[in-house]
Amino acid sequence: MTTPVATGSALALHDFYDIEALYDHEERLIQGSVREYVRAELLPKVGEWWQEGVFPEDLARKFGELGALGVTLPERFGGAGASYSAYGLVCKEIEYVDSGMRSFVSVQSSLVMFPINAYAQEHVKAKWLPLLASGEAVGCFGLTEPDAGSDPGAMRTRCRKVGDNWVITGVKRWITSGSRAHVAIVWAKDEESGKILGFVVETDRPGFQAVDIKTKASMRASVTSELYLDEVSVPAGNQLQVAGLKGPLSCLNQARFGIAFGVLGAAQACFDEAAAYVSDRPAFGEPLAAKQLVQSRLADMLSEITRGSLLAYRLGRLKEEGKDHPARVSLAKRDNCRSALAVARAARDLLGGNGITTEYAAIRHMLNLETVATYEGTDTVHTLVLGREITGINAF
Ligand code: TGC
Ligand code: FAD
């Protein structure tokens, strides 16, 4: 093989537009400490976990010790009191390792700690938030049902007031961390008013059962379960102080924000792997990196990541100004998932046959990203949110 002289890039390929310099000192410090930990401790083992379908039990506490749970929540409840952008950067660093690891953090922070902090009574916050921040307790979020995914307003789970308690019955499907959870945020329709209400449900209450979904070809290093609630009774004090679909959707707005950052981590991992691979892999007497069409694909990958990073940076600052309109979040979630998937598919292809093994990261990320593009609102749902914003016409 002829080895052409490679001069290398004078620019940082993990941050081509110096976007990290736009973040403040604290944000970069948080990002750096998470990056260092996850790349040293999790990255070498994640391929095996994914292959075996395992999310190690001790990871919750490890993420807690790292300060990765409830990054934006007040320090008095065990959070880091940091910015939304810092939370986004934490998601990105963790998703560099695996989308399933980031899913755990998203659910715990955005879908469990956020609604407890925003809508629960003080005694519920004081009990659960510190435990969730340290990872001693795990939480899950039950919105989706077997027949109600994109249209959560069609849920069948019901609640009714009986004396000083609420009694909840129904089935929730596709629930991340479901069988690991000590506490579940469960959304149900009030039989009397027809309104969607939310509850903090301790998972050891009689009538609560979680069963894992074992047939996933994506997100294998993440626990996904079905929840069965059979007349589960919770005290009225466990009810969240919000009514209607805007309750769960406000939580999704937080998690989708984190995903817009997170998927860039998966894309960067794929790009790094592909760029290294093609510089060594011989084909037709030269390294693949010397081929114009290969360079063209690397250039496209870098463009996707750079555009997505600019979008995420701006979304972070908008959110910190309280301007994270749901349609803005939809655009970033949708487009950054598209970019990450395009990068992962290109990386998988550039690795040839090796690209279909889990010895390399590309196919694991690619398959995980199929889920990420589906959950928290499918690509189509976010397209329709944008369509409604543009035209004023609801086309769901
Ligand atoms: P619509 O009439 O649009 O809205 C009902 C009320 O909610 C408000 N709202 C929002 N509030 C906060 N954030 C948002 N993103 C919001 N979107 C809407 C809205 O203002 C209204 O408030 P009000 O006061 O007027 O009542 O409701 P719709 O029935 O037309 O539905 C809209 C649609 C389809 C966009 C929505 O249902 C939707 O987003 N569907 C997708 C469902 C989804 O994303 N599910 C995710 C489940 S959780 C999950 O996947 C976790 S994955 C694990 C991980 O994150 O890692
Ligand atoms: P459907 O809503 O049935 O959609 C099927 C197809 O129809 C999609 O292509 C969709 O875009 C399309 N479609 C839907 N409506 C329209 C329309 N109006 N016009 C055109 N096309 C349309 N949920 C939780 O509550 N908590 C969790 O922790 C959680 N974790 C998850 C983890 C994993 C691994 C997965 C896979 C899912 C998880 N989900 C969770 C559920 C997830 O949010 C849903 O799968 C998602 O919202 C899509 O719902 P659905 O699967 O019912 O698909």
Side-chain angles (χ1 to χ4, degrees):
M1 162 171 103
T2 321
T3 309
V5 180
T7 53
S9 172
L11 303 168
L13 294 179
H14 74 277
D15 183 19
F16 202 60
Y17 262 43
D18 276 344
I19 296 165
E20 284 179 10
L22 299 173
Y23 292 105
D24 70 25
H25 179 67
E26 190 193 40
E27 289 163 342
R28 276 183 286 158
L29 217 60
I30 292 172
Q31 177 182 23
S33 66
V34 173
R35 177 181 294 178
E36 198 178 317
Y37 175 82
V38 299
R39 294 202 191 178
E41 300 296 326
L42 309 185
L43 198 54
K45 302 174 199 150
V46 70
E48 202 179 311
W49 294 335
W50 193 94
Q51 185 84 45
E52 290 173 5
V54 169
F55 179 86
E57 296 231 11
D58 60 347
L59 268 191
R61 277 177 192 257
K62 286 191 175 156
F63 282 135
E65 282 163 24
L66 193 59
L69 305 175
V71 170
T72 59
L73 287 185
E75 287 174 69
R76 73 191 169 101
F77 288 132
S83 69
Y84 290 109
S85 296
Y87 168 56
L89 293 170
V90 166
C91 288
K92 180 180 161 191
E93 292 307 325
I94 294 175
E95 199 152 352
Y96 188 95
V97 176
D98 192 83
S99 301
M101 310 276 125
R102 196 270 309 138
S103 267
F104 176 85
V105 171
S106 289
V107 170
Q108 187 94 348
S109 303
S110 289
L111 299 183
V112 180
M113 297 175 79
F114 168 80
I116 291 177
N117 187 49
Y119 306 127
Q121 294 191 6
E122 279 304 314
H123 72 277
V124 177
K125 291 186 201 185
K127 176 181 174 189
W128 284 110
L129 291 177
L131 291 172
L132 290 160
S134 66
E136 285 165 80
V138 170
C140 71
F141 178 87
L143 177 64
T144 307
E145 300 187 355
D147 289 326
S150 297
D151 181 15
M155 71 173 64
R156 290 190 188 155
T157 299
R158 292 288 180 265
C159 57
R160 65 177 199 283
K161 193 85 186 281
V162 180
D164 287 339
N165 290 311
W166 282 97
V167 177
I168 310 164
T169 294
V171 179
K172 298 289 176 183
R173 185 162 168 81
W174 299 117
I175 307 306
T176 301
S177 304
S179 66
R180 291 283 171 87
H182 302 88
V183 62
I185 303 297
V186 176
W187 302 94
K189 250 184 208 167
D190 179 5
E191 281 181 1
E192 207 175 299
S193 68
K195 284 214 159 120
I196 290 172
L197 304 178
F199 300 93
V200 176
V201 180
E202 295 85 354
T203 57
D204 58 2
R205 288 191 177 274
F208 188 102
Q209 202 196 348
V211 177
D212 286 344
I213 299 170
K214 296 278 195 188
T215 48
K216 289 178 298 171
S218 168
M219 288 292 190
R220 291 188 50 76
S222 169
V223 173
T224 315
S225 318
E226 238 176 1
L227 307 182
Y228 298 91
L229 292 99
D230 181 11
E231 299 273 299
V232 176
S233 179
V234 296
N238 283 26
Q239 186 189 345
L240 297 174
Q241 299 309 303
V242 65
L245 209 48
K246 67 171 185 277
L249 290 179
S250 65
C251 307
L252 299 185
N253 229 28
Q254 311 296 317
R256 291 166 178 172
F257 169 86
I259 290 170
F261 281 75
V263 290
L264 297 168
Q268 186 69 45
C270 292
F271 174 77
D272 290 351
E273 183 172 77
Y277 187 87
V278 298
S279 67
D280 285 340
R281 175 77 185 166
F284 300 95
E286 283 180 316
L288 276 174
K291 306 293 174 193
Q292 289 182 347
L293 288 175
V294 170
Q295 292 193 2
S296 163
R297 301 187 79 182
L298 292 173
D300 287 347
M301 292 159 90
L302 186 63
S303 286
E304 294 287 355
I305 294 170
T306 304
R307 277 206 311 273
S309 302
L310 285 165
L311 200 56
Y313 171 76
R314 181 62 190 144
L315 183 69
R317 293 304 181 228
L318 284 171
K319 188 165 176 61
E320 283 143 17
E321 292 168 24
K323 295 178 184 166
D324 55 327
H325 187 286
R328 285 181 164 155
V329 178
S330 281
L331 188 145
K333 193 271 179 184
R334 183 187 87 135
D335 285 24
N336 282 5
C337 281
R338 283 186 180 180
S339 292
L341 257 173
V343 170
R345 286 172 181 152
R348 208 246 25 96
D349 179 57
L350 285 172
L351 267 66
N354 286 325
I356 66 119
T357 72
T358 50
E359 283 160 45
Y360 291 87
I363 196 160
R364 177 169 53 77
H365 282 300
M366 188 191 96
L367 292 170
N368 284 342
L369 287 165
E370 290 292 342
T371 285
V372 185
T374 298
Y375 70 25
E376 294 282 358
T378 64
D379 185 283
T380 302
V381 160
H382 292 297
T383 301
L384 293 173
V385 167
L386 292 169
R388 181 168 68 181
E389 192 61 31
I390 297 162
T391 64
I393 300 167
N394 191 341
F396 285 103

